[in-house]
Coordinates of all heavy atoms in Angstrom, one line a residue:
M10 N -66.8 51.4 129.3 CA -66.9 52.6 128.5 C -67.2 53.8 129.3 O -66.8 54.9 129.0 CB -68.1 52.3 127.5 CG -68.2 53.4 126.5 SD -66.7 53.4 125.5 CE -67.1 54.8 124.4
K11 N -68.0 53.6 130.4 CA -68.4 54.7 131.3 C -67.1 55.3 132.0 O -67.0 56.5 132.1 CB -69.4 54.2 132.3 CG -69.9 55.2 133.3 CD -70.9 54.6 134.2 CE -71.3 55.5 135.3 NZ -72.2 54.8 136.3
E12 N -66.2 54.4 132.4 CA -65.0 54.8 133.1 C -64.1 55.6 132.1 O -63.5 56.6 132.4 CB -64.2 53.6 133.6 CG -64.7 53.0 134.8 CD -63.9 51.8 135.3 OE1 -63.2 51.2 134.5 OE2 -64.0 51.5 136.5
L13 N -64.1 55.1 130.8 CA -63.2 55.8 129.8 C -63.8 57.2 129.5 O -63.0 58.2 129.5 CB -63.2 55.0 128.5 CG -62.3 55.4 127.4 CD1 -60.8 55.4 127.9 CD2 -62.5 54.6 126.2
L14 N -65.1 57.4 129.4 CA -65.6 58.7 129.2 C -65.4 59.6 130.4 O -65.1 60.8 130.2 CB -67.1 58.6 128.9 CG -67.8 59.9 128.5 CD1 -67.2 60.5 127.3 CD2 -69.3 59.6 128.3
F15 N -65.6 59.1 131.6 CA -65.4 59.9 132.8 C -63.9 60.3 132.9 O -63.6 61.4 133.2 CB -65.8 59.1 134.0 CG -65.6 59.8 135.3 CD1 -66.4 60.8 135.6 CD2 -64.6 59.4 136.2 CE1 -66.3 61.5 136.8 CE2 -64.4 60.1 137.4 CZ -65.3 61.2 137.7
G16 N -63.0 59.4 132.6 CA -61.6 59.7 132.7 C -61.2 60.7 131.6 O -60.4 61.6 131.9
A17 N -61.7 60.6 130.4 CA -61.4 61.6 129.4 C -62.0 62.9 129.8 O -61.3 64.0 129.5 CB -62.1 61.1 128.1
T18 N -63.1 63.0 130.4 CA -63.7 64.3 130.8 C -62.8 64.9 131.9 O -62.5 66.1 131.9 CB -65.1 64.1 131.3 OG1 -65.9 63.5 130.3 CG2 -65.7 65.4 131.8
I19 N -62.4 64.1 132.9 CA -61.6 64.6 134.0 C -60.2 65.1 133.4 O -59.7 66.1 133.8 CB -61.4 63.5 135.1 CG1 -62.7 63.2 135.8 CG2 -60.3 64.0 136.1 CD1 -63.3 64.4 136.6
G20 N -59.7 64.3 132.5 CA -58.4 64.6 131.9 C -58.5 65.9 131.1 O -57.6 66.8 131.1
F21 N -59.6 66.1 130.4 CA -59.8 67.3 129.6 C -59.9 68.5 130.5 O -59.2 69.5 130.3 CB -61.1 67.2 128.8 CG -61.3 68.4 127.9 CD1 -60.7 68.5 126.7 CD2 -62.2 69.4 128.3 CE1 -60.9 69.6 125.9 CE2 -62.5 70.5 127.5 CZ -61.8 70.6 126.3
V22 N -60.6 68.4 131.6 CA -60.8 69.5 132.5 C -59.5 69.9 133.2 O -59.1 71.0 133.3 CB -61.9 69.2 133.5 CG1 -61.9 70.3 134.6 CG2 -63.2 69.2 132.9
A23 N -58.7 68.8 133.6 CA -57.4 69.0 134.3 C -56.5 69.7 133.3 O -55.7 70.5 133.7 CB -56.9 67.7 134.8
G24 N -56.5 69.2 132.1 CA -55.6 69.8 131.0 C -55.9 71.3 130.8 O -55.0 72.1 130.7
I25 N -57.2 71.6 130.7 CA -57.5 73.1 130.6 C -57.1 73.9 131.8 O -56.5 75.0 131.6 CB -59.1 73.2 130.3 CG1 -59.5 72.5 129.0 CG2 -59.5 74.6 130.4 CD1 -58.9 73.2 127.8
I26 N -57.3 73.4 133.0 CA -56.9 74.1 134.2 C -55.4 74.3 134.2 O -54.9 75.3 134.6 CB -57.4 73.3 135.5 CG1 -58.9 73.4 135.6 CG2 -56.7 73.9 136.7 CD1 -59.5 72.5 136.6
D27 N -54.7 73.3 133.7 CA -53.2 73.4 133.7 C -52.7 74.4 132.7 O -51.7 75.1 133.0 CB -52.6 72.0 133.5 CG -51.1 72.0 133.6 OD1 -50.6 72.6 134.6 OD2 -50.4 71.5 132.7
I28 N -53.3 74.5 131.5 CA -52.8 75.3 130.5 C -53.2 76.8 130.6 O -52.6 77.7 130.0 CB -53.0 74.8 129.1 CG1 -54.5 74.8 128.7 CG2 -52.4 73.5 128.9 CD1 -54.8 74.6 127.3
I29 N -54.3 77.1 131.4 CA -54.7 78.5 131.5 C -53.6 79.4 132.0 O -53.3 80.4 131.4 CB -56.0 78.6 132.3 CG1 -57.2 78.0 131.5 CG2 -56.3 80.0 132.7 CD1 -58.5 77.9 132.3
P30 N -52.9 79.0 133.1 CA -51.8 79.9 133.6 C -50.7 80.0 132.6 O -50.0 81.0 132.4 CB -51.4 79.3 134.9 CG -52.3 78.3 135.2 CD -53.2 78.0 134.1
M31 N -50.5 78.9 131.8 CA -49.4 78.9 130.9 C -49.7 79.8 129.7 O -48.8 80.5 129.2 CB -49.2 77.4 130.3 CG -48.8 76.4 131.4 SD -48.7 74.8 130.8 CE -47.2 74.8 129.7
I32 N -50.9 79.9 129.3 CA -51.3 80.8 128.2 C -51.2 82.2 128.7 O -50.7 83.1 128.0 CB -52.8 80.5 127.7 CG1 -52.8 79.1 127.0 CG2 -53.3 81.6 126.9 CD1 -54.2 78.6 126.7
L33 N -51.6 82.5 130.0 CA -51.5 83.8 130.5 C -50.1 84.3 130.6 O -49.8 85.5 130.5 CB -52.2 83.9 131.9 CG -53.7 83.7 131.9 CD1 -54.3 83.6 133.3 CD2 -54.4 84.7 131.1
Q34 N -49.2 83.3 130.9 CA -47.7 83.7 130.9 C -47.1 83.7 129.5 O -45.9 84.0 129.4 CB -47.0 82.6 131.8 CG -47.3 82.6 133.2 CD -46.7 81.5 134.0 OE1 -45.9 80.8 133.4 NE2 -47.0 81.4 135.2
K35 N -47.9 83.5 128.5 CA -47.5 83.5 127.1 C -46.3 82.5 126.8 O -45.4 82.8 126.1 CB -47.1 84.9 126.7 CG -48.2 85.9 126.8 CD -47.8 87.3 126.3 CE -48.8 88.4 126.5 NZ -50.2 88.2 126.6
L36 N -46.5 81.3 127.4 CA -45.5 80.3 127.1 C -45.8 79.7 125.7 O -46.9 79.9 125.1 CB -45.6 79.1 128.1 CG -45.3 79.5 129.5 CD1 -45.5 78.3 130.5 CD2 -43.8 80.0 129.6
D37 N -44.8 79.1 125.1 CA -44.9 78.7 123.7 C -46.0 77.6 123.6 O -46.3 76.9 124.5 CB -43.6 78.2 123.2 CG -43.1 76.9 123.9 OD1 -42.4 77.1 125.0 OD2 -43.3 75.8 123.4
K38 N -46.5 77.5 122.4 CA -47.6 76.6 122.1 C -47.3 75.1 122.3 O -48.1 74.4 122.8 CB -48.0 76.8 120.6 CG -49.3 76.1 120.2 CD -49.6 76.2 118.8 CE -49.6 77.5 118.2 NZ -50.1 77.6 116.8
T39 N -46.0 74.8 122.1 CA -45.6 73.4 122.3 C -45.7 73.0 123.7 O -46.2 71.9 124.1 CB -44.2 73.2 121.8 OG1 -44.1 73.6 120.4 CG2 -43.8 71.7 121.8
S40 N -45.3 73.8 124.6 CA -45.4 73.6 126.1 C -46.9 73.4 126.5 O -47.2 72.5 127.3 CB -44.8 74.7 126.9 OG -43.4 74.8 126.6
C41 N -47.7 74.3 126.0 CA -49.1 74.2 126.4 C -49.8 72.9 125.8 O -50.5 72.2 126.6 CB -49.9 75.4 125.8 SG -49.4 76.9 126.5
I42 N -49.5 72.5 124.6 CA -50.0 71.3 124.1 C -49.5 70.1 124.8 O -50.2 69.2 125.1 CB -49.7 71.2 122.6 CG1 -50.4 72.3 121.8 CG2 -50.0 69.8 122.0 CD1 -50.0 72.4 120.3
S43 N -48.2 70.1 125.2 CA -47.6 69.0 125.9 C -48.3 68.8 127.3 O -48.6 67.7 127.7 CB -46.1 69.2 126.1 OG -45.5 68.3 126.9
A44 N -48.5 69.9 128.0 CA -49.1 69.9 129.3 C -50.5 69.3 129.2 O -51.0 68.5 130.0 CB -49.1 71.2 130.0
F45 N -51.3 69.8 128.2 CA -52.7 69.4 128.0 C -52.7 67.9 127.7 O -53.5 67.2 128.3 CB -53.4 70.2 126.9 CG -54.7 69.7 126.7 CD1 -55.8 70.2 127.5 CD2 -55.0 68.8 125.6 CE1 -57.1 69.7 127.3 CE2 -56.3 68.4 125.4 CZ -57.3 68.8 126.3
V46 N -51.9 67.4 126.8 CA -51.9 66.0 126.4 C -51.5 65.2 127.6 O -52.1 64.1 127.9 CB -51.0 65.8 125.2 CG1 -50.8 64.3 125.0 CG2 -51.6 66.4 124.0
H47 N -50.6 65.6 128.4 CA -50.1 64.9 129.6 C -51.3 64.6 130.5 O -51.6 63.5 131.0 CB -49.0 65.6 130.3 CG -48.5 65.0 131.6 ND1 -48.7 65.5 132.8 CD2 -47.8 63.8 131.7 CE1 -48.2 64.7 133.7 NE2 -47.6 63.6 133.1
Y48 N -52.1 65.7 130.9 CA -53.2 65.5 131.8 C -54.4 64.8 131.2 O -55.1 64.0 131.8 CB -53.6 66.9 132.4 CG -52.7 67.2 133.5 CD1 -51.6 68.1 133.3 CD2 -52.8 66.6 134.8 CE1 -50.8 68.4 134.3 CE2 -51.9 66.9 135.8 CZ -50.9 67.8 135.6 OH -50.0 68.1 136.6
F49 N -54.6 65.0 129.9 CA -55.7 64.3 129.2 C -55.4 62.8 129.2 O -56.3 62.0 129.6 CB -55.8 64.8 127.8 CG -57.0 64.1 127.0 CD1 -58.3 64.5 127.3 CD2 -56.7 63.1 126.1 CE1 -59.3 63.9 126.7 CE2 -57.8 62.5 125.4 CZ -59.1 62.9 125.7
V50 N -54.2 62.4 128.9 CA -53.8 60.9 128.9 C -53.9 60.4 130.3 O -54.3 59.2 130.5 CB -52.4 60.7 128.2 CG1 -52.0 59.3 128.4 CG2 -52.5 61.1 126.8
L51 N -53.5 61.2 131.3 CA -53.6 60.7 132.7 C -55.0 60.4 133.0 O -55.3 59.4 133.7 CB -53.0 61.7 133.7 CG -51.5 61.8 133.8 CD1 -51.1 62.9 134.7 CD2 -51.0 60.5 134.3
G52 N -55.9 61.2 132.6 CA -57.4 61.0 132.8 C -57.8 59.6 132.2 O -58.7 59.0 132.7
L53 N -57.2 59.2 131.1 CA -57.5 57.9 130.5 C -56.9 56.8 131.2 O -57.4 55.6 131.2 CB -57.1 57.9 129.0 CG -57.8 59.0 128.1 CD1 -57.2 59.0 126.8 CD2 -59.3 58.7 128.1
I54 N -55.7 57.0 131.8 CA -55.0 55.9 132.4 C -55.4 55.6 133.9 O -55.5 54.5 134.3 CB -53.4 56.2 132.4 CG1 -53.0 56.2 130.9 CG2 -52.6 55.2 133.2 CD1 -51.5 56.7 130.8
I55 N -55.5 56.7 134.7 CA -55.7 56.5 136.1 C -56.9 55.6 136.5 O -56.8 54.8 137.4 CB -55.8 57.9 136.8 CG1 -54.4 58.6 136.7 CG2 -56.3 57.8 138.2 CD1 -54.4 60.0 137.2
P56 N -58.1 55.7 135.8 CA -59.2 54.9 136.3 C -58.9 53.4 136.1 O -59.6 52.6 136.8 CB -60.3 55.3 135.3 CG -60.0 56.6 134.8 CD -58.5 56.7 134.8
F57 N -57.9 53.0 135.3 CA -57.7 51.6 135.1 C -56.5 51.0 135.9 O -56.2 49.9 135.8 CB -57.4 51.4 133.6 CG -58.7 51.7 132.8 CD1 -58.7 52.9 132.1 CD2 -59.8 50.9 132.7 CE1 -59.9 53.2 131.3 CE2 -60.9 51.2 132.0 CZ -60.9 52.4 131.3
V58 N -55.9 51.9 136.7 CA -54.8 51.4 137.5 C -55.4 50.9 138.8 O -56.2 51.6 139.5 CB -53.8 52.6 137.8 CG1 -52.8 52.1 138.9 CG2 -53.1 53.0 136.5
N59 N -55.0 49.7 139.2 CA -55.6 49.1 140.4 C -54.6 49.1 141.6 O -53.8 48.2 141.7 CB -56.0 47.6 140.1 CG -56.8 47.0 141.2 OD1 -57.3 47.7 142.1 ND2 -57.0 45.7 141.1
I60 N -54.6 50.2 142.3 CA -53.8 50.3 143.5 C -54.8 50.6 144.7 O -55.7 51.4 144.6 CB -52.8 51.5 143.4 CG1 -51.9 51.3 142.2 CG2 -52.0 51.6 144.7 CD1 -51.0 52.5 142.0
D61 N -54.7 49.9 145.8 CA -55.6 50.0 146.9 C -55.2 51.2 147.8 O -54.8 51.1 148.9 CB -55.6 48.7 147.7 CG -56.8 47.9 147.5 OD1 -57.7 48.4 146.8 OD2 -56.9 46.8 148.1
I62 N -55.4 52.4 147.3 CA -55.2 53.6 148.0 C -56.4 54.6 147.6 O -57.1 54.3 146.7 CB -53.8 54.3 147.8 CG1 -53.6 54.6 146.3 CG2 -52.7 53.4 148.4 CD1 -52.3 55.3 146.0
Y63 N -56.4 55.7 148.3 CA -57.5 56.7 148.0 C -57.4 57.1 146.5 O -56.2 57.3 146.0 CB -57.4 57.9 148.9 CG -57.6 57.7 150.3 CD1 -56.6 57.7 151.3 CD2 -58.9 57.4 150.8 CE1 -56.8 57.5 152.6 CE2 -59.2 57.1 152.1 CZ -58.1 57.2 153.0 OH -58.4 56.9 154.3
P64 N -58.5 57.3 145.8 CA -58.4 57.7 144.4 C -57.6 58.9 144.1 O -56.9 59.0 143.2 CB -59.9 57.8 144.0 CG -60.6 57.0 145.0 CD -59.9 57.0 146.3
W65 N -57.8 60.0 145.0 CA -57.1 61.2 144.8 C -55.6 61.0 144.9 O -54.8 61.6 144.2 CB -57.6 62.3 145.7 CG -57.3 62.1 147.2 CD1 -58.2 61.5 148.1 CD2 -56.2 62.4 147.9 NE1 -57.6 61.4 149.3 CE2 -56.4 61.9 149.2 CE3 -54.9 62.9 147.6 CZ2 -55.4 62.1 150.2 CZ3 -54.0 63.1 148.6 CH2 -54.2 62.7 149.9
L66 N -55.2 60.1 145.9 CA -53.8 59.8 146.1 C -53.2 59.0 144.9 O -52.1 59.3 144.5 CB -53.6 59.1 147.4 CG -52.2 58.8 147.9 CD1 -51.3 60.1 148.0 CD2 -52.2 58.0 149.2
K67 N -54.0 58.1 144.4 CA -53.6 57.3 143.3 C -53.3 58.2 142.1 O -52.3 58.1 141.4 CB -54.6 56.3 142.9 CG -54.3 55.5 141.7 CD -55.3 54.4 141.4 CE -56.7 54.9 141.0 NZ -57.6 53.9 140.5
G68 N -54.2 59.2 141.8 CA -54.1 60.1 140.7 C -52.9 61.0 140.9 O -52.1 61.2 140.0
A69 N -52.7 61.5 142.1 CA -51.5 62.4 142.4 C -50.2 61.6 142.2 O -49.2 62.1 141.6 CB -51.6 63.0 143.8
L70 N -50.1 60.4 142.7 CA -48.9 59.5 142.6 C -48.6 59.2 141.1 O -47.5 59.4 140.7 CB -49.1 58.2 143.3 CG -48.0 57.2 143.3 CD1 -46.8 57.8 144.0 CD2 -48.4 55.9 143.9
I71 N -49.6 58.9 140.3 CA -49.4 58.6 138.9 C -49.0 59.8 138.1 O -48.1 59.8 137.3 CB -50.6 57.9 138.3 CG1 -50.8 56.5 138.9 CG2 -50.5 57.7 136.8 CD1 -52.1 55.8 138.6
A72 N -49.6 61.0 138.5 CA -49.3 62.2 137.8 C -47.8 62.6 138.1 O -47.1 63.0 137.1 CB -50.2 63.3 138.3
I73 N -47.4 62.5 139.3 CA -46.0 62.8 139.6 C -45.0 61.9 138.9 O -44.0 62.3 138.4 CB -45.8 62.8 141.2 CG1 -46.6 64.0 141.8 CG2 -44.3 62.9 141.5 CD1 -46.7 64.0 143.3
L74 N -45.3 60.6 139.0 CA -44.4 59.6 138.3 C -44.3 59.8 136.8 O -43.2 59.7 136.3 CB -44.9 58.2 138.6 CG -44.7 57.7 140.1 CD1 -45.4 56.3 140.3 CD2 -43.3 57.7 140.5
T75 N -45.4 60.2 136.2 CA -45.3 60.4 134.7 C -44.7 61.7 134.4 O -44.3 61.9 133.2 CB -46.7 60.2 134.1 OG1 -47.6 61.2 134.7 CG2 -47.3 58.8 134.2
A76 N -44.6 62.6 135.3 CA -44.0 63.9 135.1 C -42.5 63.9 135.2 O -41.8 64.8 134.8 CB -44.6 65.0 136.0
F77 N -42.0 62.9 135.9 CA -40.5 62.8 136.1 C -39.7 62.9 134.8 O -38.7 63.6 134.8 CB -40.1 61.5 136.8 CG -40.2 61.7 138.3 CD1 -40.8 60.7 139.1 CD2 -39.7 62.8 139.0 CE1 -40.9 60.8 140.5 CE2 -39.8 62.9 140.3 CZ -40.4 61.9 141.1
P78 N -40.1 62.2 133.7 CA -39.3 62.4 132.5 C -39.2 63.8 132.0 O -38.2 64.3 131.5 CB -39.9 61.4 131.5 CG -40.7 60.4 132.3 CD -41.1 61.2 133.5
I79 N -40.3 64.5 132.1 CA -40.4 65.9 131.7 C -39.5 66.7 132.6 O -38.8 67.6 132.1 CB -41.9 66.4 131.7 CG1 -42.7 65.6 130.8 CG2 -41.9 67.9 131.4 CD1 -44.2 65.8 131.0
M80 N -39.5 66.5 133.9 CA -38.7 67.2 134.8 C -37.2 67.0 134.5 O -36.4 68.0 134.6 CB -39.0 66.8 136.2 CG -40.3 67.2 136.7 SD -40.6 66.6 138.4 CE -42.3 66.9 138.7
I81 N -36.8 65.8 134.2 CA -35.4 65.5 133.9 C -35.0 66.3 132.6 O -33.8 66.8 132.6 CB -35.2 64.0 133.7 CG1 -35.4 63.3 135.0 CG2 -33.9 63.7 133.1 CD1 -35.5 61.8 134.9
I82 N -35.8 66.4 131.7 CA -35.5 67.2 130.5 C -35.4 68.7 130.7 O -34.5 69.4 130.3 CB -36.5 66.9 129.3 CG1 -36.4 65.5 128.9 CG2 -36.3 67.9 128.2 CD1 -37.5 65.0 127.9
V83 N -36.3 69.2 131.5 CA -36.4 70.6 131.8 C -35.4 71.1 132.8 O -34.9 72.2 132.7 CB -37.8 71.0 132.3 CG1 -37.9 72.4 132.8 CG2 -38.8 70.7 131.2
Y84 N -35.0 70.3 133.8 CA -34.2 70.7 134.9 C -32.8 71.4 134.4 O -32.5 72.5 135.0 CB -33.9 69.6 135.8 CG -33.0 70.0 137.0 CD1 -33.6 70.7 138.0 CD2 -31.7 69.7 137.1 CE1 -32.9 71.1 139.2 CE2 -31.0 70.0 138.2 CZ -31.6 70.7 139.2 OH -30.8 71.1 140.3
P85 N -32.1 70.9 133.5 CA -30.8 71.5 133.1 C -31.0 72.9 132.5 O -30.2 73.8 132.6 CB -30.2 70.6 132.1 CG -30.8 69.3 132.3 CD -32.2 69.6 132.8
K86 N -32.1 73.1 131.9 CA -32.4 74.4 131.2 C -33.0 75.4 132.1 O -32.7 76.6 131.9 CB -33.3 74.2 130.0 CG -32.7 73.3 128.9 CD -33.7 73.0 127.8 CE -33.1 71.9 126.9 NZ -34.1 71.4 126.0
D87 N -33.9 75.0 133.0 CA -34.6 76.0 133.9 C -34.9 75.3 135.2 O -35.9 74.7 135.3 CB -35.8 76.5 133.2 CG -36.5 77.6 133.9 OD1 -36.0 78.1 134.9 OD2 -37.6 78.0 133.5
K88 N -34.1 75.5 136.2 CA -34.3 74.9 137.5 C -35.5 75.3 138.2 O -36.1 74.6 139.0 CB -33.0 75.1 138.4 CG -31.8 74.3 137.8 CD -30.6 74.7 138.6 CE -29.3 74.0 138.1 NZ -29.1 73.7 136.8
K89 N -36.0 76.6 137.9 CA -37.2 77.1 138.6 C -38.4 76.5 138.1 O -39.5 76.6 138.7 CB -37.2 78.6 138.4 CG -36.1 79.4 139.1 CD -36.2 80.8 138.9 CE -35.0 81.6 139.4 NZ -35.1 83.0 139.0
A90 N -38.4 75.9 136.9 CA -39.6 75.3 136.3 C -40.0 74.0 136.8 O -41.1 73.5 136.6 CB -39.4 75.2 134.8
I91 N -39.2 73.4 137.7 CA -39.5 72.1 138.2 C -40.8 72.1 139.1 O -41.7 71.3 139.0 CB -38.4 71.5 139.0 CG1 -37.2 71.2 138.1 CG2 -38.7 70.2 139.8 CD1 -37.5 70.2 137.0
I92 N -40.9 73.2 139.9 CA -42.0 73.3 140.9 C -43.4 73.4 140.1 O -44.3 72.7 140.4 CB -41.8 74.4 141.9 CG1 -40.6 74.2 142.7 CG2 -43.1 74.6 142.7 CD1 -40.6 72.9 143.5
P93 N -43.5 74.3 139.1 CA -44.8 74.4 138.4 C -45.1 73.1 137.6 O -46.3 72.8 137.4 CB -44.5 75.5 137.4 CG -43.5 76.3 138.0 CD -42.6 75.4 138.7
I94 N -44.1 72.4 137.2 CA -44.4 71.1 136.5 C -45.1 70.2 137.4 O -46.0 69.5 137.1 CB -43.1 70.5 135.9 CG1 -42.6 71.3 134.8 CG2 -43.3 69.1 135.4 CD1 -41.3 70.9 134.2

């Protein structure tokens, strides 16, 4: 339970940090909600993945892997958006 609460807190903070620039750029609400949910859910998943690497590297690796489907959808419409994702 402790890991779940810690992960949810980290995911919430990461989601807020991610959507602040998006709100400042006046991106649509759906994009902001999608980004927030992505990082919030990652906060719930990452603590339970058992890979023997540094925790920050494990988080980065899982975040990049779970962002690939979003990148595939966005790439044909806006090639410049891949880097911020």
Side-chain angles (χ1 to χ4, degrees):
M10 188 64 181
K11 185 177 166 183
E12 287 179 336
L13 188 62
L14 183 60
F15 181 71
T18 303
I19 295 294
F21 182 81
V22 171
I25 294 295
I26 290 171
D27 188 47
I28 65 168
I29 288 172
M31 296 175 73
I32 292 170
L33 294 175
Q34 293 176 3
K35 299 186 185 333
L36 295 178
D37 64 277
K38 190 186 306 186
T39 307
S40 298
C41 293
I42 292 169
S43 173
F45 177 80
V46 169
H47 180 247
Y48 280 100
F49 182 75
V50 171
L51 280 175
L53 297 175
I54 294 172
I55 291 171
F57 297 101
V58 174
N59 190 12
I60 302 175
D61 254 354
I62 57 177
Y63 294 110
W65 64 267
L66 183 59
K67 175 175 70 168
L70 179 66
I71 294 170
I73 291 169
L74 290 174
T75 58
F77 274 135
I79 300 165
M80 291 179 188
I81 292 168
I82 292 169
V83 170
Y84 183 75
K86 297 175 186 168
D87 187 6
K88 293 174 179 35
K89 294 179 189 174
I91 295 298
I92 298 302
I94 290 175

